[in-house]
Amino acid sequence: MAFTASNHSTSLMANAIRALAMDAVQQANSGHPGAPMGMADIAVALWSRHLKHNPGNPHWADRDRFVLSNGHGSMLIYALLHLTGYALPMSELRNFRQLHSKTPGHPEVGITPGVETTTGPLGQGITNAVGFALAEKLLASEFNRPGHTIVDHHTYAFLGDGCLMEGISHEACALAGAWKLNKLIALYDDNGISIDGQVKPWFIDDTPKRFEAYGWNVIANVDGHDVDAVDAAIAQAKRADKPTLICCKTTIGKGSPNRGGTAKAHGEALGAEEIKLTREALGWTSEPFVIPETVYEQWDARHSGLAAETAWVDAFEAYGKAYPELALEYVRRVEGQLPKNFAQVAVDAALAAHTKAETVASRKASQIALEAFTKALPELLGGSADLTGSVFTNTSSTPALRFDDAGTGNGGRHINYGVREFGMAAIMNGVALHGGFIPYGGTFLTFSDYSRNAVRMAALMKLRVVHVFTHDSIGLGEDGPTHQSVEHVASLRLIPGLDVWRPADTAETAIAWTCALLNHDRPTALILSRHNLPYAPKSGLDDISKGAYVLAEPSEVGLKKKAQAVIIATGSEVSLALHAQQLLAQQKVAVRVVSMPSTTVFDRQSEAYKTSVLPKGLPRIAVEMGVSDGWWKYGCAAVVGIDTYGESAPAPVLFKHFGFTADNVVATVLRALKR
């Protein structure tokens, strides 16, 4: 290729990224310089010629979304954000990977302005990107009108070999092809190197053919160090009617004379001597962390970004005049605000459940609540991992989402994710991050193991997503221990920032859903039964939202004496506790029954409230069909739990076999009282 002034300009822009990456990693003595150095030219092509963004307003609704799926290369995005004019000063790049800096080891949303999602666990970034692109497509279909296009942006993702090796990338990218997400463009850093060395012995996939089989548009064999070639590929991708994968051949650690193209460039500092040699090889004469003003001028996106947003604001004002109600609804949706009538809808749902007092499985109680909420909240976007008829996530307001051969959707709001629990969970994270929707999805509780890492990422990112986990215990019976959840509820409760609810009846389920929808900065896991649960009579509903409440005092079973013990129960075991209370009353033993649908919510209450529910000095006995370890923190004298795997048999047989009977609860209470 002939040398031109333009080539020189783009080389300087790319080398600025390389210099910042190797300097920051060297100063921290920790990090991954290879990917930023290898992808620098790709970044120049995308960020300087295509990406629609405004550094002055990282939250502009119609900006393009950029995802660094290979998040270990975080200095790439930090350099880009700094150079293009975001509020990320050089002092933060000098503070790379240090305590309380805005440049953590892997990109984190909410920490660094301009970072769209938290990436690090490989494969989840590209999956989040699928969620971004799906949300954009659905919002565009819902709100755009002839002559008024207010939702029109692309989602770009950088990814590497690691992302493609992780199984979640298969789950998500197959769906992206099925959904014809033509505004999703992924750029693959095909450098052939991972931590263990050249990937040929263990990664022999024909990646272009793989993505063609998914229904993607594939542009293969692009020189990832030729800015003009990458630019042309992106322009071609933007004209496609399906998602596009651009395969860019690159050299990891590009510019490093001795480490370029080797695993040594991947995950460790280059070293002072190699950095000196790299600077000489690149012709980069600036001191560490110094960028020439001419390079800053070439990268600066503040003026063009402001102009792009201003044009959109003008277009939106015209849209608002033509469609005032739609404009207000769009603003409400993208800001994540619930409708003004939500409080009344929630109250009505809870009161209806309380009044009807139905005996149904809590999975069915969830669907009953969803009927009310999906009708009132058009932003609720449901789905299931091939279990809709078992997890009951569909409603009359959420027909199945379908796309025709042209990629046009039918307006449906329930997604058939297929048997892809992990992909479903991470796509929901992307949808929530994009804005405009509140995603929820269902599967069996035992399969939460597959989606756990994405559930954890939702908690880390403080996202409002709802996981509907059904078939919550040995109560599902004949399917046996492979499907009978034992440790799953306890393990989910251990995830910081995740609210876990295991409701006992229709009212508790409706209130659990209400709390989940009100949680702007917490994901929720709803743990629901397959078998029917009787309604638990209660004097009021106000305290359910606090995670635990006094359900029945001794007086409610005819005893005129104070409680001598407290039985704590969740979910299906609440009815068991109430039965035991009646049997104990016949022996003149007074107990209080506490329903604790959410330990995580209860633990956040005031000490005064917690003491009012669980008085000090009274023996406490917990009853739950799960491992017992988590209950000892409440000072329990005994726990009726299950610390082994289940068995294959009808549910009533299993309940008796594992001691989940009223008689066993009675005996446990009496032992705790030393009777």
Side-chain angles (χ1 to χ4, degrees), residues 84-118:
T84 55
Y86 284 79
L88 192 68
M90 187 66 81
S91 59
E92 293 292 348
L93 274 62
R94 288 178 175 272
N95 211 23
F96 178 55
R97 287 189 165 221
Q98 304 308 301
L99 185 64
H100 299 148
S101 76
K102 292 184 179 180
T103 50
H106 291 80
E108 294 185 41
V109 68
I111 300 295
T112 313
V115 168
E116 300 282 4
T117 180
T118 300

PDB file of all heavy atoms in Angstrom, residues 84-118:
ATOM      1  N   THR A  84     -10.639  10.337  22.810  1.00  0.00           N
ATOM      2  CA  THR A  84     -11.769  10.946  22.098  1.00  0.00           C
ATOM      3  C   THR A  84     -12.474  12.024  22.910  1.00  0.00           C
ATOM      4  O   THR A  84     -13.340  12.718  22.381  1.00  0.00           O
ATOM      5  CB  THR A  84     -12.795   9.879  21.680  1.00  0.00           C
ATOM      6  OG1 THR A  84     -13.202   9.123  22.831  1.00  0.00           O
ATOM      7  CG2 THR A  84     -12.212   8.942  20.634  1.00  0.00           C
ATOM      8  N   GLY A  85     -12.118  12.175  24.195  1.00  0.00           N
ATOM      9  CA  GLY A  85     -12.633  13.315  24.944  1.00  0.00           C
ATOM     10  C   GLY A  85     -13.587  13.026  26.073  1.00  0.00           C
ATOM     11  O   GLY A  85     -14.247  13.940  26.582  1.00  0.00           O
ATOM     12  N   TYR A  86     -13.690  11.766  26.499  1.00  0.00           N
ATOM     13  CA  TYR A  86     -14.532  11.460  27.652  1.00  0.00           C
ATOM     14  C   TYR A  86     -13.872  11.965  28.934  1.00  0.00           C
ATOM     15  O   TYR A  86     -12.677  12.299  28.947  1.00  0.00           O
ATOM     16  CB  TYR A  86     -14.775   9.948  27.748  1.00  0.00           C
ATOM     17  CG  TYR A  86     -15.771   9.425  26.743  1.00  0.00           C
ATOM     18  CD1 TYR A  86     -15.389   9.203  25.416  1.00  0.00           C
ATOM     19  CD2 TYR A  86     -17.094   9.169  27.101  1.00  0.00           C
ATOM     20  CE1 TYR A  86     -16.291   8.732  24.483  1.00  0.00           C
ATOM     21  CE2 TYR A  86     -18.006   8.693  26.176  1.00  0.00           C
ATOM     22  CZ  TYR A  86     -17.606   8.484  24.864  1.00  0.00           C
ATOM     23  OH  TYR A  86     -18.516   8.022  23.945  1.00  0.00           O
ATOM     24  N   ALA A  87     -14.661  12.008  30.003  1.00  0.00           N
ATOM     25  CA  ALA A  87     -14.147  12.487  31.296  1.00  0.00           C
ATOM     26  C   ALA A  87     -13.291  11.403  31.948  1.00  0.00           C
ATOM     27  O   ALA A  87     -13.616  10.851  32.995  1.00  0.00           O
ATOM     28  CB  ALA A  87     -15.307  12.874  32.206  1.00  0.00           C
ATOM     29  N   LEU A  88     -12.200  11.084  31.286  1.00  0.00           N
ATOM     30  CA  LEU A  88     -11.255  10.087  31.766  1.00  0.00           C
ATOM     31  C   LEU A  88      -9.846  10.662  31.583  1.00  0.00           C
ATOM     32  O   LEU A  88      -9.173  10.407  30.578  1.00  0.00           O
ATOM     33  CB  LEU A  88     -11.414   8.772  30.984  1.00  0.00           C
ATOM     34  CG  LEU A  88     -10.684   7.564  31.586  1.00  0.00           C
ATOM     35  CD1 LEU A  88     -11.327   7.148  32.917  1.00  0.00           C
ATOM     36  CD2 LEU A  88     -10.700   6.390  30.616  1.00  0.00           C
ATOM     37  N   PRO A  89      -9.393  11.444  32.539  1.00  0.00           N
ATOM     38  CA  PRO A  89      -8.110  12.136  32.390  1.00  0.00           C
ATOM     39  C   PRO A  89      -6.921  11.182  32.423  1.00  0.00           C
ATOM     40  O   PRO A  89      -7.034  10.026  32.843  1.00  0.00           O
ATOM     41  CB  PRO A  89      -8.091  13.090  33.595  1.00  0.00           C
ATOM     42  CG  PRO A  89      -8.972  12.442  34.604  1.00  0.00           C
ATOM     43  CD  PRO A  89     -10.059  11.756  33.814  1.00  0.00           C
ATOM     44  N   MET A  90      -5.779  11.694  32.001  1.00  0.00           N
ATOM     45  CA  MET A  90      -4.570  10.876  31.973  1.00  0.00           C
ATOM     46  C   MET A  90      -4.211  10.348  33.353  1.00  0.00           C
ATOM     47  O   MET A  90      -3.636   9.247  33.477  1.00  0.00           O
ATOM     48  CB  MET A  90      -3.398  11.689  31.406  1.00  0.00           C
ATOM     49  CG  MET A  90      -2.138  10.875  31.184  1.00  0.00           C
ATOM     50  SD  MET A  90      -2.340   9.609  29.900  1.00  0.00           S
ATOM     51  CE  MET A  90      -2.118  10.618  28.425  1.00  0.00           C
ATOM     52  N   SER A  91      -4.560  11.076  34.400  1.00  0.00           N
ATOM     53  CA  SER A  91      -4.265  10.604  35.754  1.00  0.00           C
ATOM     54  C   SER A  91      -4.929   9.258  36.027  1.00  0.00           C
ATOM     55  O   SER A  91      -4.391   8.428  36.769  1.00  0.00           O
ATOM     56  CB  SER A  91      -4.726  11.632  36.790  1.00  0.00           C
ATOM     57  OG  SER A  91      -6.124  11.875  36.673  1.00  0.00           O
ATOM     58  N   GLU A  92      -6.098   9.023  35.428  1.00  0.00           N
ATOM     59  CA  GLU A  92      -6.777   7.746  35.614  1.00  0.00           C
ATOM     60  C   GLU A  92      -6.070   6.628  34.853  1.00  0.00           C
ATOM     61  O   GLU A  92      -6.026   5.485  35.312  1.00  0.00           O
ATOM     62  CB  GLU A  92      -8.238   7.847  35.183  1.00  0.00           C
ATOM     63  CG  GLU A  92      -9.089   8.755  36.061  1.00  0.00           C
ATOM     64  CD  GLU A  92      -9.290   8.199  37.475  1.00  0.00           C
ATOM     65  OE1 GLU A  92      -8.965   7.019  37.722  1.00  0.00           O
ATOM     66  OE2 GLU A  92      -9.760   8.955  38.334  1.00  0.00           O
ATOM     67  N   LEU A  93      -5.508   6.942  33.687  1.00  0.00           N
ATOM     68  CA  LEU A  93      -4.754   5.933  32.955  1.00  0.00           C
ATOM     69  C   LEU A  93      -3.458   5.595  33.694  1.00  0.00           C
ATOM     70  O   LEU A  93      -3.015   4.436  33.705  1.00  0.00           O
ATOM     71  CB  LEU A  93      -4.448   6.416  31.536  1.00  0.00           C
ATOM     72  CG  LEU A  93      -5.547   6.149  30.480  1.00  0.00           C
ATOM     73  CD1 LEU A  93      -6.840   6.876  30.831  1.00  0.00           C
ATOM     74  CD2 LEU A  93      -5.075   6.540  29.089  1.00  0.00           C
ATOM     75  N   ARG A  94      -2.862   6.585  34.318  1.00  0.00           N
ATOM     76  CA  ARG A  94      -1.682   6.325  35.148  1.00  0.00           C
ATOM     77  C   ARG A  94      -2.040   5.450  36.356  1.00  0.00           C
ATOM     78  O   ARG A  94      -1.178   4.773  36.911  1.00  0.00           O
ATOM     79  CB  ARG A  94      -1.092   7.642  35.649  1.00  0.00           C
ATOM     80  CG  ARG A  94      -0.386   8.480  34.584  1.00  0.00           C
ATOM     81  CD  ARG A  94       0.118   9.786  35.190  1.00  0.00           C
ATOM     82  NE  ARG A  94       0.900  10.569  34.272  1.00  0.00           N
ATOM     83  CZ  ARG A  94       2.226  10.446  34.094  1.00  0.00           C
ATOM     84  NH1 ARG A  94       2.901   9.543  34.805  1.00  0.00           N
ATOM     85  NH2 ARG A  94       2.874  11.201  33.233  1.00  0.00           N
ATOM     86  N   ASN A  95      -3.303   5.505  36.738  1.00  0.00           N
ATOM     87  CA  ASN A  95      -3.771   4.782  37.918  1.00  0.00           C
ATOM     88  C   ASN A  95      -4.410   3.449  37.550  1.00  0.00           C
ATOM     89  O   ASN A  95      -5.196   2.896  38.321  1.00  0.00           O
ATOM     90  CB  ASN A  95      -4.790   5.653  38.669  1.00  0.00           C
ATOM     91  CG  ASN A  95      -4.772   5.401  40.168  1.00  0.00           C
ATOM     92  OD1 ASN A  95      -3.786   4.922  40.719  1.00  0.00           O
ATOM     93  ND2 ASN A  95      -5.868   5.722  40.826  1.00  0.00           N
ATOM     94  N   PHE A  96      -4.073   2.934  36.395  1.00  0.00           N
ATOM     95  CA  PHE A  96      -4.636   1.685  35.864  1.00  0.00           C
ATOM     96  C   PHE A  96      -4.508   0.549  36.873  1.00  0.00           C
ATOM     97  O   PHE A  96      -3.456   0.307  37.446  1.00  0.00           O
ATOM     98  CB  PHE A  96      -3.896   1.337  34.567  1.00  0.00           C
ATOM     99  CG  PHE A  96      -4.316   0.057  33.911  1.00  0.00           C
ATOM    100  CD1 PHE A  96      -5.645  -0.177  33.572  1.00  0.00           C
ATOM    101  CD2 PHE A  96      -3.369  -0.915  33.587  1.00  0.00           C
ATOM    102  CE1 PHE A  96      -6.024  -1.351  32.934  1.00  0.00           C
ATOM    103  CE2 PHE A  96      -3.737  -2.090  32.944  1.00  0.00           C
ATOM    104  CZ  PHE A  96      -5.065  -2.312  32.623  1.00  0.00           C
ATOM    105  N   ARG A  97      -5.646  -0.110  37.108  1.00  0.00           N
ATOM    106  CA  ARG A  97      -5.723  -1.291  37.981  1.00  0.00           C
ATOM    107  C   ARG A  97      -5.425  -0.985  39.452  1.00  0.00           C
ATOM    108  O   ARG A  97      -5.112  -1.888  40.214  1.00  0.00           O
ATOM    109  CB  ARG A  97      -4.795  -2.406  37.484  1.00  0.00           C
ATOM    110  CG  ARG A  97      -5.307  -3.095  36.223  1.00  0.00           C
ATOM    111  CD  ARG A  97      -4.515  -4.334  35.859  1.00  0.00           C
ATOM    112  NE  ARG A  97      -5.281  -5.134  34.876  1.00  0.00           N
ATOM    113  CZ  ARG A  97      -5.377  -6.446  34.894  1.00  0.00           C
ATOM    114  NH1 ARG A  97      -4.764  -7.143  35.816  1.00  0.00           N
ATOM    115  NH2 ARG A  97      -6.086  -7.086  33.972  1.00  0.00           N
ATOM    116  N   GLN A  98      -5.573   0.275  39.850  1.00  0.00           N
ATOM    117  CA  GLN A  98      -5.319   0.631  41.238  1.00  0.00           C
ATOM    118  C   GLN A  98      -6.642   0.872  41.972  1.00  0.00           C
ATOM    119  O   GLN A  98      -7.682   1.112  41.364  1.00  0.00           O
ATOM    120  CB  GLN A  98      -4.425   1.868  41.322  1.00  0.00           C
ATOM    121  CG  GLN A  98      -3.108   1.714  40.579  1.00  0.00           C
ATOM    122  CD  GLN A  98      -2.342   0.451  40.965  1.00  0.00           C
ATOM    123  OE1 GLN A  98      -2.011   0.266  42.146  1.00  0.00           O
ATOM    124  NE2 GLN A  98      -2.058  -0.414  39.991  1.00  0.00           N
ATOM    125  N   LEU A  99      -6.579   0.848  43.293  1.00  0.00           N
ATOM    126  CA  LEU A  99      -7.774   0.967  44.125  1.00  0.00           C
ATOM    127  C   LEU A  99      -8.534   2.255  43.837  1.00  0.00           C
ATOM    128  O   LEU A  99      -7.962   3.344  43.838  1.00  0.00           O
ATOM    129  CB  LEU A  99      -7.376   0.914  45.607  1.00  0.00           C
ATOM    130  CG  LEU A  99      -8.519   0.899  46.624  1.00  0.00           C
ATOM    131  CD1 LEU A  99      -9.353  -0.366  46.486  1.00  0.00           C
ATOM    132  CD2 LEU A  99      -7.955   1.024  48.050  1.00  0.00           C
ATOM    133  N   HIS A 100      -9.826   2.112  43.600  1.00  0.00           N
ATOM    134  CA  HIS A 100     -10.763   3.217  43.407  1.00  0.00           C
ATOM    135  C   HIS A 100     -10.491   4.038  42.143  1.00  0.00           C
ATOM    136  O   HIS A 100     -11.010   5.140  42.000  1.00  0.00           O
ATOM    137  CB  HIS A 100     -10.772   4.155  44.627  1.00  0.00           C
ATOM    138  CG  HIS A 100     -11.188   3.469  45.890  1.00  0.00           C
ATOM    139  ND1 HIS A 100     -10.701   3.836  47.135  1.00  0.00           N
ATOM    140  CD2 HIS A 100     -12.025   2.427  46.105  1.00  0.00           C
ATOM    141  CE1 HIS A 100     -11.222   3.045  48.054  1.00  0.00           C
ATOM    142  NE2 HIS A 100     -12.036   2.184  47.455  1.00  0.00           N
ATOM    143  N   SER A 101      -9.712   3.503  41.217  1.00  0.00           N
ATOM    144  CA  SER A 101      -9.499   4.229  39.966  1.00  0.00           C
ATOM    145  C   SER A 101     -10.691   4.013  39.044  1.00  0.00           C
ATOM    146  O   SER A 101     -11.516   3.116  39.257  1.00  0.00           O
ATOM    147  CB  SER A 101      -8.219   3.751  39.277  1.00  0.00           C
ATOM    148  OG  SER A 101      -8.434   2.491  38.651  1.00  0.00           O
ATOM    149  N   LYS A 102     -10.772   4.822  37.999  1.00  0.00           N
ATOM    150  CA  LYS A 102     -11.798   4.653  36.973  1.00  0.00           C
ATOM    151  C   LYS A 102     -11.300   3.766  35.836  1.00  0.00           C
ATOM    152  O   LYS A 102     -11.946   3.678  34.786  1.00  0.00           O
ATOM    153  CB  LYS A 102     -12.230   6.013  36.432  1.00  0.00           C
ATOM    154  CG  LYS A 102     -12.990   6.859  37.448  1.00  0.00           C
ATOM    155  CD  LYS A 102     -13.491   8.151  36.831  1.00  0.00           C
ATOM    156  CE  LYS A 102     -14.279   8.975  37.861  1.00  0.00           C
ATOM    157  NZ  LYS A 102     -14.778  10.244  37.278  1.00  0.00           N
ATOM    158  N   THR A 103     -10.184   3.109  36.081  1.00  0.00           N
ATOM    159  CA  THR A 103      -9.614   2.211  35.079  1.00  0.00           C
ATOM    160  C   THR A 103      -9.308   0.854  35.720  1.00  0.00           C
ATOM    161  O   THR A 103      -8.144   0.461  35.863  1.00  0.00           O
ATOM    162  CB  THR A 103      -8.325   2.817  34.485  1.00  0.00           C
ATOM    163  OG1 THR A 103      -7.468   3.231  35.575  1.00  0.00           O
ATOM    164  CG2 THR A 103      -8.634   4.016  33.614  1.00  0.00           C
ATOM    165  N   PRO A 104     -10.352   0.142  36.131  1.00  0.00           N
ATOM    166  CA  PRO A 104     -10.135  -1.175  36.753  1.00  0.00           C
ATOM    167  C   PRO A 104      -9.585  -2.182  35.746  1.00  0.00           C
ATOM    168  O   PRO A 104      -9.549  -1.921  34.536  1.00  0.00           O
ATOM    169  CB  PRO A 104     -11.529  -1.565  37.241  1.00  0.00           C
ATOM    170  CG  PRO A 104     -12.472  -0.812  36.359  1.00  0.00           C
ATOM    171  CD  PRO A 104     -11.784   0.488  36.038  1.00  0.00           C
ATOM    172  N   GLY A 105      -9.181  -3.336  36.271  1.00  0.00           N
ATOM    173  CA  GLY A 105      -8.537  -4.344  35.432  1.00  0.00           C
ATOM    174  C   GLY A 105      -9.362  -4.766  34.239  1.00  0.00           C
ATOM    175  O   GLY A 105      -8.839  -5.011  33.152  1.00  0.00           O
ATOM    176  N   HIS A 106     -10.664  -4.906  34.412  1.00  0.00           N
ATOM    177  CA  HIS A 106     -11.579  -5.177  33.307  1.00  0.00           C
ATOM    178  C   HIS A 106     -12.639  -4.077  33.309  1.00  0.00           C
ATOM    179  O   HIS A 106     -13.005  -3.559  34.367  1.00  0.00           O
ATOM    180  CB  HIS A 106     -12.234  -6.546  33.462  1.00  0.00           C
ATOM    181  CG  HIS A 106     -11.276  -7.686  33.288  1.00  0.00           C
ATOM    182  ND1 HIS A 106     -10.419  -8.095  34.295  1.00  0.00           N
ATOM    183  CD2 HIS A 106     -11.029  -8.502  32.228  1.00  0.00           C
ATOM    184  CE1 HIS A 106      -9.689  -9.110  33.866  1.00  0.00           C
ATOM    185  NE2 HIS A 106     -10.038  -9.383  32.618  1.00  0.00           N
ATOM    186  N   PRO A 107     -13.142  -3.688  32.154  1.00  0.00           N
ATOM    187  CA  PRO A 107     -14.104  -2.572  32.092  1.00  0.00           C
ATOM    188  C   PRO A 107     -15.339  -2.833  32.944  1.00  0.00           C
ATOM    189  O   PRO A 107     -15.886  -3.942  32.934  1.00  0.00           O
ATOM    190  CB  PRO A 107     -14.466  -2.509  30.601  1.00  0.00           C
ATOM    191  CG  PRO A 107     -13.326  -3.173  29.898  1.00  0.00           C
ATOM    192  CD  PRO A 107     -12.841  -4.241  30.819  1.00  0.00           C
ATOM    193  N   GLU A 108     -15.775  -1.807  33.663  1.00  0.00           N
ATOM    194  CA  GLU A 108     -16.953  -1.932  34.522  1.00  0.00           C
ATOM    195  C   GLU A 108     -17.913  -0.782  34.244  1.00  0.00           C
ATOM    196  O   GLU A 108     -17.548   0.390  34.357  1.00  0.00           O
ATOM    197  CB  GLU A 108     -16.557  -1.922  36.002  1.00  0.00           C
ATOM    198  CG  GLU A 108     -15.746  -3.122  36.444  1.00  0.00           C
ATOM    199  CD  GLU A 108     -15.481  -3.128  37.936  1.00  0.00           C
ATOM    200  OE1 GLU A 108     -16.411  -2.789  38.703  1.00  0.00           O
ATOM    201  OE2 GLU A 108     -14.348  -3.442  38.338  1.00  0.00           O
ATOM    202  N   VAL A 109     -19.144  -1.123  33.908  1.00  0.00           N
ATOM    203  CA  VAL A 109     -20.163  -0.114  33.682  1.00  0.00           C
ATOM    204  C   VAL A 109     -20.461   0.590  35.001  1.00  0.00           C
ATOM    205  O   VAL A 109     -20.472  -0.017  36.070  1.00  0.00           O
ATOM    206  CB  VAL A 109     -21.442  -0.751  33.087  1.00  0.00           C
ATOM    207  CG1 VAL A 109     -22.138  -1.660  34.086  1.00  0.00           C
ATOM    208  CG2 VAL A 109     -22.414   0.304  32.581  1.00  0.00           C
ATOM    209  N   GLY A 110     -20.650   1.889  34.935  1.00  0.00           N
ATOM    210  CA  GLY A 110     -20.903   2.657  36.141  1.00  0.00           C
ATOM    211  C   GLY A 110     -19.645   3.171  36.808  1.00  0.00           C
ATOM    212  O   GLY A 110     -19.714   4.023  37.689  1.00  0.00           O
ATOM    213  N   ILE A 111     -18.496   2.667  36.407  1.00  0.00           N
ATOM    214  CA  ILE A 111     -17.216   3.122  36.956  1.00  0.00           C
ATOM    215  C   ILE A 111     -16.530   4.072  35.985  1.00  0.00           C
ATOM    216  O   ILE A 111     -16.070   5.149  36.367  1.00  0.00           O
ATOM    217  CB  ILE A 111     -16.278   1.920  37.243  1.00  0.00           C
ATOM    218  CG1 ILE A 111     -16.923   0.975  38.256  1.00  0.00           C
ATOM    219  CG2 ILE A 111     -14.922   2.413  37.736  1.00  0.00           C
ATOM    220  CD1 ILE A 111     -17.120   1.560  39.628  1.00  0.00           C
ATOM    221  N   THR A 112     -16.492   3.692  34.721  1.00  0.00           N
ATOM    222  CA  THR A 112     -15.786   4.457  33.699  1.00  0.00           C
ATOM    223  C   THR A 112     -16.787   5.060  32.720  1.00  0.00           C
ATOM    224  O   THR A 112     -17.568   4.321  32.113  1.00  0.00           O
ATOM    225  CB  THR A 112     -14.819   3.541  32.932  1.00  0.00           C
ATOM    226  OG1 THR A 112     -14.066   2.761  33.857  1.00  0.00           O
ATOM    227  CG2 THR A 112     -13.872   4.364  32.078  1.00  0.00           C
ATOM    228  N   PRO A 113     -16.805   6.382  32.556  1.00  0.00           N
ATOM    229  CA  PRO A 113     -17.740   6.981  31.592  1.00  0.00           C
ATOM    230  C   PRO A 113     -17.459   6.467  30.181  1.00  0.00           C
ATOM    231  O   PRO A 113     -16.321   6.470  29.717  1.00  0.00           O
ATOM    232  CB  PRO A 113     -17.458   8.483  31.713  1.00  0.00           C
ATOM    233  CG  PRO A 113     -16.087   8.584  32.314  1.00  0.00           C
ATOM    234  CD  PRO A 113     -15.933   7.387  33.192  1.00  0.00           C
ATOM    235  N   GLY A 114     -18.519   5.997  29.521  1.00  0.00           N
ATOM    236  CA  GLY A 114     -18.375   5.479  28.169  1.00  0.00           C
ATOM    237  C   GLY A 114     -18.323   3.975  28.086  1.00  0.00           C
ATOM    238  O   GLY A 114     -18.460   3.417  26.991  1.00  0.00           O
ATOM    239  N   VAL A 115     -18.140   3.299  29.208  1.00  0.00           N
ATOM    240  CA  VAL A 115     -18.153   1.834  29.217  1.00  0.00           C
ATOM    241  C   VAL A 115     -19.605   1.374  29.309  1.00  0.00           C
ATOM    242  O   VAL A 115     -20.321   1.757  30.236  1.00  0.00           O
ATOM    243  CB  VAL A 115     -17.320   1.270  30.386  1.00  0.00           C
ATOM    244  CG1 VAL A 115     -17.570  -0.221  30.569  1.00  0.00           C
ATOM    245  CG2 VAL A 115     -15.834   1.532  30.143  1.00  0.00           C
ATOM    246  N   GLU A 116     -20.029   0.554  28.362  1.00  0.00           N
ATOM    247  CA  GLU A 116     -21.435   0.173  28.245  1.00  0.00           C
ATOM    248  C   GLU A 116     -21.801  -1.071  29.057  1.00  0.00           C
ATOM    249  O   GLU A 116     -22.958  -1.257  29.417  1.00  0.00           O
ATOM    250  CB  GLU A 116     -21.794  -0.084  26.776  1.00  0.00           C
ATOM    251  CG  GLU A 116     -21.598   1.110  25.852  1.00  0.00           C
ATOM    252  CD  GLU A 116     -22.713   2.143  25.972  1.00  0.00           C
ATOM    253  OE1 GLU A 116     -23.602   1.982  26.831  1.00  0.00           O
ATOM    254  OE2 GLU A 116     -22.680   3.114  25.196  1.00  0.00           O
ATOM    255  N   THR A 117     -20.839  -1.939  29.312  1.00  0.00           N
ATOM    256  CA  THR A 117     -21.126  -3.167  30.049  1.00  0.00           C
ATOM    257  C   THR A 117     -19.852  -3.660  30.705  1.00  0.00           C
ATOM    258  O   THR A 117     -18.742  -3.348  30.256  1.00  0.00           O
ATOM    259  CB  THR A 117     -21.703  -4.268  29.133  1.00  0.00           C
ATOM    260  OG1 THR A 117     -21.967  -5.439  29.905  1.00  0.00           O
ATOM    261  CG2 THR A 117     -20.745  -4.620  28.001  1.00  0.00           C
ATOM    262  N   THR A 118     -20.006  -4.418  31.768  1.00  0.00           N
ATOM    263  CA  THR A 118     -18.868  -4.992  32.473  1.00  0.00           C
ATOM    264  C   THR A 118     -18.451  -6.276  31.772  1.00  0.00           C
ATOM    265  O   THR A 118     -19.230  -7.226  31.694  1.00  0.00           O
ATOM    266  CB  THR A 118     -19.242  -5.280  33.941  1.00  0.00           C
ATOM    267  OG1 THR A 118     -19.613  -4.051  34.575  1.00  0.00           O
ATOM    268  CG2 THR A 118     -18.070  -5.890  34.690  1.00  0.00           C
TER     269      THR A 118
END
